[in-house]
Amino acid sequence: MKNGYRIYALILAAGKGERAGFEHNKMFQEFAGTTPLRRCLETFSGVQELDGIAVVSREEESDIVRRETEGIKKNIVITSGGDKRQDSVYNGLIAIRDKADIAVIHDGARCFVSEDLIKDCISSCIEYGSGVAGKMAKDTIKEVDDNGVFKKTLDRSHIAVIETPQVFFLRDILSAHEEAMNSGLVGTDDSSLMEAMGKKVRLVDGRASNEKLTYYEDFEKAEMEHMPKDIRVGQGYDIHRLVEGRELILGGVRFEGSKGLLGHSDGDAVLHAITDALFGAASLGDIGDHFPDNDDRYRGADSALLLKDAADIVRGNRWIIGNVDITVFLEEPKLGSKKGEMRKRISEILEIDPEKISVKAKTFEKLGPVGRGEAIAASATCMICR
Ligand code: MG
């Protein structure tokens, strides 16, 4: 909301992006620990003026989009695009027309857009009725004939190259689309549709960073430039006593017919070790600082919920969770196939790929409390980056 106007972003992610040469939509192509869509969502979610974000995607990809929007703290609308960009924008406008007075239309492939450029375009729309990001041409511009022969040199001092965001009052851009449909005008961008209606459209000075990811090489370059620069490692260790009459839960997985681990919570030493490793890597204290064992809220607590909270806290400090490597020290029971189940469960709790979780087991050769079967211990190492 700004000046009483309700504002929604419309992120276009329905294109095929064939020029990038991936087998899937380039909006979901991973680079430097993120994807173009995720990066857009994170930037737009930081813009306070926005009331929500609508993502226009292909219907068959709506589940992937839903996953990408997890954890984004804005109202989210997911809607289906059409065959052409123009149809996708129109569908998106229809999806937000009851929620918004102003639409911030943005091409998802321009995922390095900055918060201040989005804000500049919104301010321009409020003040002048529109705000379209773009740059004045800096190269020599030639008009060419069908054979590529130069016809004339254009005066670049009055030529702008148009990008997104393109911000308009929703009623204006919606009626521009409807008029275009009625008159059979296709394949033009939103600013051209507005001009066709006789509306003035205003250029907002763009930013060098607002590049579009189009070709495979663009992704390679983005990977190099946006690789996390801060990489940290954390370790955690925990041990709990084995007692009769408690259920054994390790790595969030239940084991039948075994003694259980004594503890204030459910005693899951594996999840506690991971929790400490995460807090340790981010220098955010330890499990006891965040979830004190004299606090009744955590009596019998499901350690999965504590680990989930820890992951949220770490991510809230802008960290990406890389991988987790765990060793469980125990004589009994044999972990065997349960190791796979533990990986799967831990990956669900942390919301990272199971391939990034490793679970190993070791005995203590009958030595010490673990070796005598009186306790189970676990150690975990994790990597985080940003
Ligand atoms: Mg513990």
Side-chain angles (χ1 to χ4, degrees), residues 238-240 265 267-269 272 287:
D238 197 22
I239 184 164
H240 280 254
S265 65
D268 191 330
H272 295 176
I287 190 169

Side-chain angles (χ1 to χ4, degrees), residues 169-215:
F169 282 101
L170 194 124
R171 56 167 196 274
D172 291 345
I173 187 65
L174 196 55
S175 58
H177 271 263
E178 279 161 358
E179 196 153 299
M181 277 191 273
N182 292 335
S183 62
L185 187 63
V186 289
T188 44
D189 79 314
D190 299 287
S191 58
S192 310
L193 295 182
M194 290 287 284
E195 289 169 76
M197 286 241 306
K199 297 264 183 194
K200 280 205 168 70
V201 182
R202 184 174 178 270
L203 179 72
V204 171
D205 246 348
R207 307 287 189 278
S209 61
N210 193 22
E211 296 264 317
K212 196 172 180 175
L213 292 174
T214 305
Y215 301 103

Side-chain angles (χ1 to χ4, degrees), residues 31 71 108 152 162 199 281 340:
F31 73 94
K152 66 174 177 188
I162 296 309
K199 297 264 183 194

